[in-house]
Amino acid sequence: GESVGLHLPTLSVQEGDNSIINCAYSNSASDYFIWYKQESGKGPQFIIDIRSNMDKRQGQRVTVLLNKTVKHLSLQIAATQPGDSAVYFCAENSMDSSYKLIFGSGTRLLVRP
Amino acid sequence: SQTIHQWPATLVQPVGSPLSLECTVEGTSNPNLYWYRQAAGRGLQLLFYSVGIGQISSEVPQNLSASRPQDRQFILSSKKLLLSDSGFYLCAWHGTRYLWVFGPGTRLTVL
């Protein structure tokens, strides 16, 4: 069924520290995953994606790790900046339901100056 | 490149009034289109998707309906709004398997 979001947990980090945001996905058949950043009043913004044939992918200051065994996804943000403050969502997609992008419950990231 | 437009950007409506939110897509043809809703402080819930003109699939039973009168137009409607319909409504476009684009959203407040 749908992974309908719960009230958002919050991660508070000091500016300059690394942030790790976790996500548990629901469908073992999912083979494509996306991390989105959403700022207040705006639509989700693509950050990074990963396909299931990989367990790690790096972007600029961001790294996504995929553990298919336990259906877990994480987003690591290096040297977190105030502009990183937002809500972060993971989303999953599977070949057998390739038309559906299912969102996990988000995490609010607060960066302390 | 593909662009999604949504309007209005914000809307305040009384309970029991009708609703019409519009989404249009530029830069592509025959797109898969989606309506998501986000309640305050919550994640995104898929409401409807459409793979072509006149083709609508509903994901959750509710007070809302969707229509796709043209290839690049997707409309979300209600005959009578409920308080629980308040939220942030997002239209999304799905191109290739690995390409999803979201619109700017419409914030709906039902009073």
Side-chain angles (χ1 to χ4, degrees):
Chain A
E2 294 284 334
S3 297
V4 178
L6 304 175
H7 288 288
L8 299 174
T10 299
L11 174 66
S12 180
V13 300
Q14 191 73 35
E15 181 179 356
D17 287 352
N18 296 335
S19 303
I20 300 177
I21 300 171
N22 296 303
C23 176
Y25 63 92
S26 58
N27 184 1
S28 57
S30 291
D31 60 355
Y32 178 55
F33 305 88
I34 309 173
W35 277 102
Y36 286 96
K37 173 185 180 182
Q38 187 180 28
E39 297 174 316
S40 181
K42 297 183 179 179
Q45 175 188 359
F46 174 93
I47 301 174
I48 192 168
D49 61 357
I50 189 167
R51 304 182 191 185
S52 60
N53 60 349
M54 304 174 68
D55 52 22
K56 180 179 180 179
R57 189 162 189 232
Q58 290 184 292
Q60 187 178 14
R61 280 201 309 119
V62 294
T63 301
V64 55
L65 299 178
L66 174 63
N67 185 331
K68 295 182 288 293
T69 303
V70 294
K71 294 190 290 185
H72 184 267
L73 200 63
S74 70
L75 177 70
Q76 301 178 0
I77 304 174
T80 312
Q81 302 169 359
D84 295 327
S85 292
V87 176
Y88 290 81
F89 292 97
C90 66
E92 60 183 296
N93 179 253
S94 64
M95 196 59 191
D96 58 357
S97 298
S98 60
Y99 57 87
K100 289 173 85 168
L101 190 63
I102 305 302
F103 283 78
S105 53
T107 297
R108 186 179 306 279
L109 177 64
L110 295 177
V111 182
R112 304 188 304 273
Chain B
S1 63
Q2 300 79 24
T3 306
I4 299 180
H5 300 281
Q6 287 187 244
W7 63 89
T10 60
L11 189 60
V12 180
Q13 291 285 99
V15 170
S17 63
L19 172 74
S20 181
L21 302 182
E22 188 165 345
C23 169
T24 59
V25 182
E26 293 180 358
T28 184
S29 60
N30 196 30
N32 291 341
L33 296 174
Y34 302 79
W35 279 111
Y36 283 84
R37 176 172 61 197
Q38 186 176 30
R42 294 178 178 264
L44 281 77
Q45 180 184 32
L46 178 61
L47 301 177
F48 300 97
Y49 69 92
S50 172
V51 299
I53 295 174
Q55 300 180 63
I56 307 294
S57 295
S58 174
E59 287 295 303
V60 292
Q62 59 202 311
N63 184 44
L64 303 169
S65 62
S67 62
R68 186 151 173 197
Q70 300 180 44
D71 181 47
R72 288 174 284 180
Q73 184 183 33
F74 202 23
I75 297 173
L76 185 70
S77 304
S78 174
K79 292 182 179 178
K80 289 185 178 181
L81 283 169
L82 306 172
L83 287 173
S84 58
D85 292 324
S86 292
F88 192 48
Y89 288 83
L90 289 154
C91 180
W93 166 79
H94 178 204
T96 64
R97 171 88 198 279
Y98 304 111
L99 181 58
W100 296 75
V101 178
F102 283 83
T106 294
R107 181 156 309 278
L108 172 65
T109 302
V110 183
L111 302 175

